[in-house]
Amino acid sequence: MKLAVVSFTRRGSRLCCRLVQGFRERGVECDGYMKRPFFQEALEGMGIHLLQDPVGKWTGEQFGQVDGLLYIGAAGIAVRAVAPYLADKMTDPAVAVADEAGDYVISLLSGHVGGANRLAKEAAKIIGATPVITTATDVNGITAIDRWAAKRGLTISDRGLAKQVAATLLEGRPVGIVSDFPLQGGVPKGYTWGKKGESNVWVTVRKQPEEGTLASRIFRDSGQVLRLIPRALTVGVGCRKGIGAGEVEYRVEQVFRDAGLERQAIAAMATIDLKAREEGLCRLADQWGVPLVTFSAEELEQVKAPVAESSFVRQVTGTGNVCERAALLGAGARGRLLVEKRAGGGATVAVAVADYQVKEERGGF
């Protein structure tokens, strides 16, 4: 978690120093910025810097670099400063504003997913202010599903359905929830486990329920199911030398379509160390924002699960199967294959799922 605090007056600058110190004491990476009349060189060691640019330009430079922005001054200053850079509440940083007297801290933008509500509350604790939260779910003491998902690293399948879930809760109607993975801490407040509601939530890596599962019994005939997708899958890949990223991507996506799996569930790609610098694999992993993990032939040979052996692959690589073994090793202890080896287009692909548990991620506020 990285924060930037900015102030414009003498009184606000004193507040800026208190906030930076308070957040840093809580283990949060935080820097403060103030105008020249109030800045002293000695403050640099405390994480306080000279505000050299107009606040709009400063905001643009900070916007893609920090997780949260805290303005000390009029709310209008913050609104005008961030307006040109707003893109999407799923990706915009948290934005909060405190008055220079330190009486109130307002959650302004990205309250749930971005964490502005939490930012406002923590800042208020540091300076003894009152946090101002206006999001309906918080005001009514209801767990917002987008915030709950974001704190657990889950991807929302449909933002429209997420809004419907919130609306259903606010109207006091039932929302059902099931999960293909254990939920640490139980279900969120206001949701009913294992029962179909007027709106429903399903934590899964799949697009459709498997027969015989709890999800299939509850949601088979329901079109109102919001899926929350964990990064729980490892894609094992073996490939010919010089294969392009587009070819690998096409093959992996084909496998995921056929298996009914969500690509957003990919946590990592895995292969043999001989392919660690294979440009197509490296480029695709970078495009998808996942690591490319590699294993030696000796490590792959330690996998005891039954896999499809190839004498040719063993002759070339030192192990009889790359993709399945790499997928299983990448998935970790007790990982299991969801998709066995699929070959075509110069690549072999397998998919394994980790022994995953949905839990609140550490870090942040």
Side-chain angles (χ1 to χ4, degrees):
M1 173 61 67
K2 187 175 182 180
L3 300 179
V5 184
V6 63
S7 59
F8 313 102
T9 65
R10 185 177 304 278
R11 197 176 185 187
S13 296
R14 289 197 292 267
L15 208 58
C16 179
C17 291
R18 289 174 58 190
L19 285 162
V20 170
Q21 181 182 1
F23 278 116
R24 288 191 166 205
E25 289 174 351
R26 286 161 167 76
V28 177
E29 184 179 353
C30 183
D31 289 282
Y33 298 82
M34 61 181 61
K35 289 187 173 183
R36 185 174 297 279
F38 321 114
F39 176 76
Q40 299 175 19
E41 296 293 337
L43 295 174
E44 284 281 0
M46 299 170 52
I48 305 296
H49 312 283
L50 177 64
L51 179 63
Q52 303 187 61
D53 297 316
V55 66
K57 182 179 180 182
W58 176 86
T59 297
E61 293 171 349
Q62 296 290 329
F63 213 74
Q65 306 298 319
V66 300
D67 302 297
L69 291 165
L70 178 55
Y71 295 79
I72 303 174
I77 294 175
V79 171
R80 286 190 292 270
V82 301
Y85 309 106
L86 297 178
D88 191 300
K89 75 171 186 177
M90 305 301 290
T91 56
D92 290 340
V95 180
V97 58
D99 67 285
E100 66 172 42
D103 292 328
Y104 301 97
V105 184
I106 305 168
S107 173
L108 201 60
L109 292 167
S110 297
H112 288 149
V113 179
N117 291 353
R118 187 62 175 159
L119 171 58
K121 291 176 182 178
E122 288 300 312
K125 286 181 184 178
I126 292 170
I127 61 176
T130 300
V132 180
I133 311 296
T134 60
T135 44
T137 48
D138 290 85
V139 170
N140 288 277
I142 294 170
T143 302
I145 199 63
D146 54 357
R147 180 186 177 191
W148 187 84
K151 290 175 71 68
R152 289 156 181 79
L154 305 175
T155 300
I156 294 173
S157 66
D158 187 311
R159 290 168 60 180
L161 287 177
K163 291 179 180 179
Q164 288 184 21
V165 168
T168 302
L169 286 170
L170 288 170
E171 292 168 5
R173 302 199 304 269
V175 173
I177 184 170
V178 297
S179 175
D180 295 345
F181 304 92
L183 301 181
Q184 188 180 78
V187 301
K189 181 180 178 181
Y191 299 73
T192 303
W193 173 260
K195 293 183 180 180
K196 185 175 178 179
E198 292 191 31
S199 292
N200 302 284
V201 178
W202 177 27
V203 181
T204 185
V205 297
R206 299 184 178 276
K207 295 182 177 180
Q208 294 292 333
E210 289 185 294
E211 287 293 341
T213 62
L214 179 60
S216 70
R217 293 195 295 273
I218 296 173
F219 297 156
R220 175 63 71 186
D221 300 320
S222 175
Q224 301 299 311
V225 180
L226 171 67
R227 287 176 292 114
L228 304 181
I229 306 162
R231 288 186 176 268
L233 302 182
T234 297
V235 179
V237 181
C239 65
R240 60 173 170 79
K241 184 177 180 179
I243 195 168
E247 295 174 273
V248 181
E249 181 177 32
Y250 175 81
R251 182 60 186 160
V252 172
E253 290 189 336
Q254 184 179 49
V255 168
F256 270 60
R257 282 195 304 272
D258 292 345
L261 299 174
E262 288 282 0
R263 188 174 69 76
Q264 294 97 320
I266 298 175
M269 293 174 59
T271 190
I272 193 168
D273 57 5
L274 296 174
K275 298 293 182 180
R277 297 186 178 180
E278 188 69 52
E279 184 177 355
L281 296 184
C282 294
R283 183 173 297 176
L284 181 58
D286 184 62
Q287 289 174 1
W288 283 354
V290 299
L292 175 65
V293 296
T294 62
F295 304 98
S296 67
E298 292 76 14
E299 289 173 312
L300 294 173
E301 283 289 286
Q302 296 304 309
V303 175
K304 303 304 181 184
V307 296
E309 292 278 345
S310 165
S311 58
F312 174 75
V313 172
R314 179 171 293 279
Q315 180 180 357
V316 172
T317 67
T319 181
N321 181 297
V322 171
C323 66
E324 291 180 337
R325 286 191 168 114
L328 285 167
L329 282 180
R334 295 188 297 222
R336 60 186 177 85
L337 279 179
L338 284 186
V339 181
E340 297 178 351
K341 182 174 75 173
R342 301 286 188 271
T348 58
V349 176
V351 184
V353 61
D355 184 27
Y356 187 88
Q357 185 175 85
V358 178
K359 54 187 177 181
E360 187 169 332
E361 296 181 343
R362 295 191 177 275
F365 307 122

